[in-house]
Amino acid sequence: MTGRQIPWFPRESDNGNTERIAAESAGKNSTNNHPHNPKVRKMKSAWIDLRGFAGELASAVIEESAHLGVEAVVFDDPDLAGKVPPNLTKVAVVNGETPTTLIDRLVEVVDLLVADHSIAEKFEGLRPGLRTGVLVRVLDEQTLDVACKVANRAEVTLVEFRQDPSKIPLEILLAAADQAKGSIVTVVEDIEDAKITIGVLERGSDGVLFTPKRVGEVTELVEATHGQVASLDLEPLEIVQLQHLGLGDRVCVDTCSHLRPNEGILLGSYSSGLMLVSSETHPLPYMPTRPFRVNAAALSTYTLTPGNRTQYLSELHCGSEILAVSTDGSVRTVIVGRIKMESRPMLRIEARTASGQLVDMVGQDDWHVRALGPGGSVHNFTELRKGDVILGHTMTDQRHVGYAIREFLHEQ
């Protein structure tokens, strides 16, 4: 919902159906006033730590990094610089214990020199074209305060949290540097730690520094930081047929996120086409809104999940991940808190794309279940008519246990 309660007034529309009239001043299709409307998040940076690496493993990790969109590699061996391709930023990290002779050699071959905050000023303007950053190891409240100050002035702040295993120090740092122009890169222990770090306070660290233990972990890190799906192409679907069915098992999907008024999940009877069904963020006549919920569809319905996979609603459970999709095509991963399955009257909705492809779904035959249309328009299921336009997404590949496959498969 928007920031204040939107009054609901039943009235007879021109076609004789009862419809909801929300005060226009509340901006019912706008997300700007939404209390949990996150900032637009840029793609996170993946940094790879090669300090202590040598030989074939170092070469393999560098090659993997170069082809996957890794931003930077950190090394402490100047001879390794020649193996790093130009599309990767070469980074060295030094402190007061780093030998001067080694620093001199690293300065000549790296693009970015990150120095401990206690000596960082010595390296500013050391040579033309050399970028500099600052390292802060957070051990206590005092060093956390140092990190907050550094992050507000440094181009790059590399931070390593040494003592507190929680993300509270990172939350404090991100809040203190919310308006900073530089970037914050956080040292992480593993891939799971990286996923959590880039999502803290719905903003996350701008990048993460990770030491891979084997070839292949770089791929996992890039998938975590870049995300496999940033947006989806949504297209208009014209309603061509509506069929009132008997009782069936309908699934409500309760997520662990506060969904937005222009956000829902994609649902379809066939894996080739899905419709965008709204979250329960719009006013209801007899009950409060449930901004975490999507009154979804029949239990046999497909929905879209991370990794370009589909799952049946019957397969979802507490802890599952699905994709929440906005009417502008933006996508985010949300966690399922539970699913609720109940017997309800069902409605078959058939729509057609501009190219003539048919898209079907079976949802609950009820007024308060809604599809989303162009511009964030909201369409109550029971008020849908032939010719109405909603939004959906089509896919060319068929599916086998959720994975995209290229073989003949017919659904009807």
Side-chain angles (χ1 to χ4, degrees):
M1 289 182 63
T2 49
R4 59 188 178 86
Q5 183 71 32
I6 301 175
W8 179 79
F9 305 97
R11 78 173 185 192
E12 287 296 306
S13 64
D14 293 338
N15 61 9
N17 295 310
T18 300
E19 66 179 11
R20 179 189 313 279
I21 308 299
E24 292 183 1
S25 59
K28 73 175 185 178
N29 292 328
S30 171
T31 62
N32 293 336
N33 297 326
H34 192 267
H36 292 275
N37 189 26
K39 296 179 180 179
V40 176
R41 283 184 270 178
K42 61 183 180 181
M43 185 178 292
K44 303 301 183 180
S45 299
W47 288 31
I48 301 300
D49 195 344
L50 296 178
R51 287 176 290 182
F53 280 55
E56 293 183 0
L57 180 58
S59 299
V61 172
I62 290 172
E63 183 176 356
E64 186 181 12
S65 300
H67 290 89
L68 291 174
V70 168
E71 180 171 321
V73 292
V74 177
F75 54 84
D76 53 8
D77 181 2
D79 295 332
L80 205 58
K83 298 181 180 181
V84 179
N87 65 316
L88 296 175
T89 301
K90 304 179 185 71
V91 183
V93 178
V94 300
N95 55 41
E97 298 178 359
T98 308
T100 303
T101 53
L102 178 58
I103 294 177
D104 291 341
R105 292 185 61 199
L106 289 169
V107 165
E108 294 302 317
V109 296
V110 299
D111 306 304
L112 173 64
L113 183 70
V114 178
D116 187 85
H117 67 92
S118 62
I119 59 172
E121 292 183 359
K122 298 179 181 179
F123 301 99
E124 295 180 2
L126 200 59
R127 71 166 171 81
L130 178 65
R131 297 164 54 205
T132 57
V134 180
L135 166 68
V136 183
R137 292 186 172 91
V138 176
L139 306 172
D140 48 29
E141 185 176 353
Q142 182 179 357
T143 47
L144 177 57
D145 184 59
V146 171
C148 292
K149 293 177 180 177
V150 167
N152 276 287
R153 58 177 173 79
E155 177 186 351
V156 176
T157 302
L158 177 61
V159 60
E160 182 177 1
F161 296 97
R162 286 289 190 89
Q163 192 171 29
D164 192 335
S166 76
K167 294 303 176 187
I168 294 175
L170 177 58
E171 292 176 2
I172 294 171
L173 174 60
L174 293 175
D178 187 57
Q179 302 300 318
K181 296 181 180 180
S183 59
I184 297 172
V185 178
T186 304
V187 178
V188 295
E189 293 293 326
D190 50 37
I191 302 299
E192 190 63 31
D193 188 22
K195 293 179 180 178
I196 295 171
T197 298
I198 61 178
V200 171
L201 294 185
E202 291 191 339
R203 167 194 164 182
S205 181
D206 299 301
V208 290
L209 174 61
F210 170 67
T211 304
K213 299 176 179 62
R214 56 175 173 78
V215 174
E217 282 194 317
V218 173
T219 301
E220 296 175 23
L221 179 69
V222 171
E223 289 178 353
T225 55
H226 290 192
Q228 295 182 325
V229 179
S231 63
L232 287 172
D233 291 328
L234 299 181
E235 55 186 304
L237 305 177
E238 181 182 350
I239 303 298
V240 295
Q241 184 178 340
L242 297 159
Q243 182 181 0
H244 298 278
L245 306 175
L247 292 176
D249 291 330
R250 178 271 288 133
V251 172
C252 277
V253 180
D254 291 351
T255 74
C256 298
S257 297
H258 197 300
L259 301 173
R260 300 188 285 276
N262 69 331
E263 194 173 34
I265 62 176
L266 288 164
L267 299 161
S269 296
Y270 312 137
S271 60
S272 56
L274 310 171
M275 301 179 187
L276 186 57
V277 176
S278 175
S279 55
E280 288 193 5
T281 48
H282 301 275
L284 299 169
Y286 310 115
M287 63 188 74
T289 58
R290 302 283 192 266
F292 53 82
R293 172 176 296 170
V294 176
N295 187 318
L299 78 166
S300 58
T301 305
Y302 286 108
T303 191
L304 203 56
T305 65
N308 190 31
R309 289 194 65 184
T310 57
Q311 279 191 274
Y312 296 116
L313 293 181
S314 63
E315 297 174 335
L316 301 180
H317 54 79
C318 180
S320 296
E321 292 183 335
I322 60 173
L323 296 183
V325 183
S326 298
T327 52
D328 62 1
S330 59
V331 173
R332 61 174 173 146
T333 299
V334 297
I335 299 170
V336 174
R338 71 162 183 165
I339 66 163
K340 183 177 70 163
M341 185 168 62
E342 299 163 306
S343 181
R344 294 289 186 270
M346 306 301 282
L347 174 70
R348 178 192 176 198
I349 304 171
E350 185 175 53
R352 181 185 290 119
T353 68
S355 63
Q357 179 178 338
L358 291 177
V359 178
D360 271 79
M361 73 158 284
V362 176
Q364 182 177 346
D365 193 351
D366 194 281
W367 181 87
H368 74 276
V369 187
R370 301 159 169 121
L372 291 170
S377 58
V378 181
H379 302 263
N380 300 50
F381 272 19
T382 55
E383 294 185 358
L384 285 172
R385 298 291 182 268
K386 290 183 180 180
D388 287 348
V389 176
I390 61 176
L391 288 173
H393 175 68
T394 57
M395 299 178 284
T396 56
D397 293 335
Q398 300 297 335
R399 302 279 160 165
H400 179 63
V401 293
Y403 291 102
I405 57 171
R406 294 185 179 275
E407 68 176 19
F408 174 77
L409 191 154
H410 176 70
E411 296 176 296
Q412 68 179 32

